[in-house]
């Protein structure tokens, strides 16, 4: 994991998927396993978009994109990437992010859709509006 401080500029973060301020002050830190993300889908502009649905990989406790068909823990939705994070050029390098675990989510504004199973996983902590 690269913990060195760097400055990098990328486009504006679009957090229009947030349905309210509730939960934004209680995000949790998380480590993104970059190798589990697809560049064209999850970071086409060189950064992970905020609002990406995340699942936790059982073996490593790192986070990757939610995928109901996965068998490594990512098949359970646990939250959303709260703020955009720059993606490394080497997908073997993990990056730190913030995990949004409760509050309202504007479903139509998410960068990646969430299926019915994912919504069931977070029922009671995430409300889709």
């Amino acid at each position: 994991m690269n913990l060195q401080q760097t400055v990098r500029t990328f486009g504006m973060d679009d957090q229009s998927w947030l349905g309210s301020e509730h939960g934004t002050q209680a995000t949790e830190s998380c480590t993104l396993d970059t190798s589990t993300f697809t560049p064209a889908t999850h970071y086409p502009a060189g950064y992970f978009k905020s609002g990406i649905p995340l699942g936790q990989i059982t073996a490593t406790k790192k986070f990757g994109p939610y995928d109901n068909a996965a068998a490594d823990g990512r098949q359970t939705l646990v939250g959303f990437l709260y703020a955009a994070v720059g993606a490394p050029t080497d997908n073997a390098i993990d990056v730190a992010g913030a995990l949004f675990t409760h509050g309202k989510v504007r479903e139509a504004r998410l960068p990646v859709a969430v299926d019915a199973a994912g919504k069931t996983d977070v029922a009671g902590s995430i409300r889709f509006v």
Side-chain angles (χ1 to χ4, degrees), residues 14-89:
D14 180 7
Q15 290 186 318
S16 63
W17 59 273
L18 289 167
S20 72
E21 185 181 329
H22 179 76
T24 61
Q25 299 299 316
T27 60
E28 302 171 19
S29 62
C30 66
T31 301
L32 302 179
D33 182 341
T34 305
S35 68
T36 61
F37 290 85
T38 305
T41 303
H42 301 110
Y43 57 99
Y47 64 95
F48 297 102
K49 297 177 180 181
S50 68
I52 293 176
L54 299 175
Q56 187 172 34
I57 301 164
T58 307
T60 63
K61 303 301 181 202
K62 296 176 185 176
F63 293 81
Y66 163 74
D67 179 356
N68 191 39
D72 61 0
R74 294 180 299 122
Q75 68 274 16
T76 303
L77 179 64
V78 296
F80 298 86
L81 185 62
Y82 174 65
V85 176
T89 54

